[in-house]
Amino acid sequence: MWDRINRVVHSHAVISACIPCIVFSSILLALIVPLESLTLSGMAIVSTVVKLVLSAIVLWLMRKMQVFNANNFSFGKMGKSLFLICVCITFAIVALLFTFIMLPGNRFIAPNPSDFLIVALSQLLGVGVFEEVLFRGLVFKILLKKMGHSKRGLLSACAISSVIFGMHHIVNIGSIVINAENLSIGVVFPVISQIIYSTAFGLLAVALFIRSGTLWIPILIHGVGNLVVQTFVAFISREKILHFIETPIVMSVPEFIISTFMSAIPLLVAGLLLLRNANPDNVYGYVREQ
């Protein structure tokens, strides 16, 4: 059965790469309403457990689709990737600065270290592991297997997997439609900006994976980046958090252009620079087309 599935996946790689993303995103979206009744810590714990279970399913799919290799999860190359780790730290600092700007004026209302610790672990163990295993582990390698063992094929797989990762964030438009009193293009601009930013980040993440030979580098930068964006949960009350999340941000055209440019261009440039000398042979688990 899996031989037949693999033939279909190989023939329709882009569609096949999108299907698990849609399925897993739908599962996570279905959990939003039940989780709303839980505390902040409870929401983080449950969502983390679910994402770790989904990560295990993705790993199983990688094995079945013959794109899994244990070297992708080796810590052996971490010591040789000091430059890439420095990129992670720089990204975290930049994200922290943007987060500080976004915090409400009355900061540090109700410090809650326990919530912060739980949310930190949820970002590193949940979001970081799940999304990197799915998009860089499964989706990228399905595309690479189809695109071919060449520099052009590698770049094509990187570009398409990054776009799929960016479009994955289009689901956030749903929350805007629900919470916005008056829909306008200015209300949708933040989600469009996030899609563009996420596409650029996806290119950087896949470049880090290729250059390092291990998924732990993109998992680290993804988890840490999300962590610093979530730092405000340790410092403001739950009511303020919900109000902040549920109040749509309205952007003007200049704000949209400037914020998108400032957030996406550095990641895009870094990703392209890392891919400049990337070699398809460095991608562990690559399966040569028969």
Side-chain angles (χ1 to χ4, degrees), residues 72 81 146 181 242:
N72 293 156
S81 306
K146 170 62 176 178
E181 296 180 1
L242 293 176

Side-chain angles (χ1 to χ4, degrees), residues 221-242:
I221 189 174
H222 197 156
V224 171
N226 277 28
L227 166 62
V228 295
V229 172
Q230 297 292 334
T231 50
F232 58 83
V233 301
F235 304 121
I236 63 177
S237 64
R238 177 178 172 82
E239 291 73 22
K240 292 290 183 180
I241 294 172
L242 293 176

Side-chain angles (χ1 to χ4, degrees), residues 161-215:
S161 65
S162 300
V163 170
I164 293 175
F165 176 67
M167 294 304 297
H168 164 72
H169 295 80
I170 200 171
V171 295
N172 294 329
I173 290 181
S175 63
I176 289 179
V177 172
I178 294 173
N179 296 314
E181 296 180 1
N182 299 309
L183 283 176
S184 65
I185 188 63
V187 174
V188 181
F189 271 155
V191 177
I192 299 176
S193 180
Q194 184 186 23
I195 291 173
I196 296 172
Y197 162 82
S198 299
T199 300
F201 174 79
L203 188 69
L204 174 60
V206 75
L208 289 169
F209 171 42
I210 294 169
R211 291 296 296 269
S212 66
T214 174
L215 276 170

Side-chain angles (χ1 to χ4, degrees), residues 15-16 19 47 139 142 144 148 150 159 180 201 213 234:
I15 296 175
S16 300
I19 290 175
S47 64
V139 171
I142 286 176
L144 183 61
S150 66
F201 174 79

Side-chain angles (χ1 to χ4, degrees), residues 126-138:
V127 178
V129 172
F130 169 64
E131 293 194 357
E132 290 308 311
V133 169
L134 175 59
F135 289 99
R136 258 58 72 180
L138 179 63

Side-chain angles (χ1 to χ4, degrees), residues 18-290:
C18 291
I19 290 175
C21 302
I22 295 172
V23 172
F24 292 135
S25 296
S26 301
I27 293 173
L28 294 174
L29 284 173
L31 290 173
I32 291 178
V33 175
L35 288 178
E36 286 181 345
S37 60
L38 300 177
T39 63
L40 183 64
S41 298
M43 292 172 62
I45 292 171
V46 173
S47 64
T48 300
V49 171
V50 171
K51 288 173 181 176
L52 289 176
V53 171
L54 294 179
S55 298
I57 295 174
V58 174
L59 291 174
W60 176 75
L61 287 173
M62 289 173 65
R63 289 183 178 276
K64 290 296 184 179
M65 295 182 181
Q66 302 174 9
V67 293
F68 176 84
N69 191 292
N71 287 322
N72 293 156
F73 301 92
S74 171
F75 289 97
K77 285 209 167 187
M78 293 289 284
K80 299 179 181 179
S81 306
L82 294 178
F83 168 74
L84 302 179
I85 293 174
C86 289
V87 172
C88 300
I89 295 173
T90 303
F91 173 74
I93 293 173
V94 172
L96 183 60
L97 291 175
F98 272 99
T99 301
F100 186 79
I101 294 172
M102 292 173 60
L103 285 173
N106 49 350
R107 302 178 181 92
F108 311 115
I109 299 171
N112 194 333
S114 61
D115 275 352
F116 175 71
L117 179 60
I118 293 173
V119 170
L121 292 175
S122 73
Q123 295 301 317
L124 293 170
L125 298 179
V127 178
V129 172
F130 169 64
E131 293 194 357
E132 290 308 311
V133 169
L134 175 59
F135 289 99
R136 258 58 72 180
L138 179 63
V139 171
F140 166 66
K141 295 177 81 176
I142 286 176
L143 293 168
L144 183 61
K145 186 176 179 180
K146 170 62 176 178
M147 301 301 171
H149 191 63
S150 66
K151 184 64 175 289
R152 182 177 180 179
L154 177 69
L155 295 178
S156 297
C158 289
I160 296 173
S161 65
S162 300
V163 170
I164 293 175
F165 176 67
M167 294 304 297
H168 164 72
H169 295 80
I170 200 171
V171 295
N172 294 329
I173 290 181
S175 63
I176 289 179
V177 172
I178 294 173
N179 296 314
E181 296 180 1
N182 299 309
L183 283 176
S184 65
I185 188 63
V187 174
V188 181
F189 271 155
V191 177
I192 299 176
S193 180
Q194 184 186 23
I195 291 173
I196 296 172
Y197 162 82
S198 299
T199 300
F201 174 79
L203 188 69
L204 174 60
V206 75
L208 289 169
F209 171 42
I210 294 169
R211 291 296 296 269
S212 66
T214 174
L215 276 170
W216 289 115
I217 293 293
I219 287 173
L220 175 64
I221 189 174
H222 197 156
V224 171
N226 277 28
L227 166 62
V228 295
V229 172
Q230 297 292 334
T231 50
F232 58 83
V233 301
F235 304 121
I236 63 177
S237 64
R238 177 178 172 82
E239 291 73 22
K240 292 290 183 180
I241 294 172
L242 293 176
H243 176 73
F244 180 68
I245 294 174
E246 294 173 357
T247 302
I249 300 173
V250 180
M251 279 186 176
S252 64
V253 174
E255 288 173 334
F256 166 70
I257 294 174
I258 292 172
S259 63
T260 303
F261 181 86
M262 290 180 62
S263 61
I265 293 301
L267 301 180
L268 183 63
V269 171
L272 291 174
L273 288 175
L274 287 171
L275 287 173
R276 185 176 55 179
N277 297 320
N279 187 338
D281 290 328
N282 292 338
V283 183
Y284 290 102
Y286 176 81
V287 181
R288 196 181 287 271
E289 183 176 358
Q290 301 297 323

